[in-house]
Amino acid sequence: MATSSSAASSSSVTNPPKGWIATFDANEMDYYWNSSNAPGRVVAAQHNLKDPTPEMCSDPSSPTPRYIFSSGDKLYLWTLMDGRLWGIKTEGSAQAIADQIGSKGIESLELETPQQSMSWADI
C-alpha cells in the first residue's frame, strides 16, 4: 500500500446508508485514488473519465466491495471484485443516491450497461 502525507478525505455524502462509508483515510485515498496508477484512476482513465472523486464505498467487511465515485456531473458504481464500471442513470446528488440505497437498496438504482474494465491481476 502506498504511503504519503495525504490527509483523510470525505465526500459530499454526509449520511451514508448502512453498510457504506463516506470518509476515507489517507492510506485508502493513496492506494485507490491519489496516484496516476491507483486502481480508481486507472478504471476511470480506461473509460475516458476525468478527475474521479470517491463519494462512498461499501463497508470494508462487505463481501462485495464497491465504490461510488463522481466524474464531472455523473456518478459511477465500480465493483472491485470483477472490475466492472456502471454509470448510474438514476438522477440525483450523491447524497440522494445514498438515501435511495438506504431506503430501497442498491438494486433500485438504474444503471447503464456494464463495461468491463480490468481485473486486479492487471494492476
Side-chain angles (χ1 to χ4, degrees):
M1 199 169 289
T3 57
S4 99
S5 59
S6 298
S9 175
S10 60
S11 77
S12 63
V13 175
T14 57
N15 187 24
K18 184 177 180 176
W20 291 78
I21 60 173
T23 302
F24 312 104
D25 69 31
N27 287 334
E28 184 175 15
M29 288 300 295
D30 284 346
Y31 183 79
Y32 285 105
W33 301 101
N34 285 345
S35 70
S36 61
N37 63 346
R41 291 209 174 269
V42 169
V43 167
Q46 289 176 334
H47 295 91
N48 297 317
L49 303 176
K50 306 291 184 214
D51 300 320
T53 303
E55 297 293 343
M56 63 182 193
C57 68
S58 54
D59 185 276
S61 64
S62 170
T64 310
R66 301 174 174 139
Y67 266 98
I68 291 180
F69 70 88
S70 59
S71 176
D73 60 356
K74 190 160 170 77
L75 294 168
Y76 297 88
L77 173 65
W78 173 36
T79 355
L80 278 68
M81 294 301 289
D82 62 10
R84 288 189 177 195
L85 183 67
W86 306 74
I88 299 176
K89 292 177 69 174
T90 304
E91 293 190 23
S93 66
Q95 183 62 61
I97 296 300
D99 292 343
Q100 181 170 329
I101 292 170
S103 64
K104 298 179 182 176
I106 198 163
E107 301 80 12
S108 70
L109 297 179
E110 186 179 355
L111 303 174
E112 294 180 329
T113 305
Q115 301 172 353
Q116 186 65 37
S117 56
M118 62 191 245
S119 70
W120 286 111
D122 297 329
I123 298 174

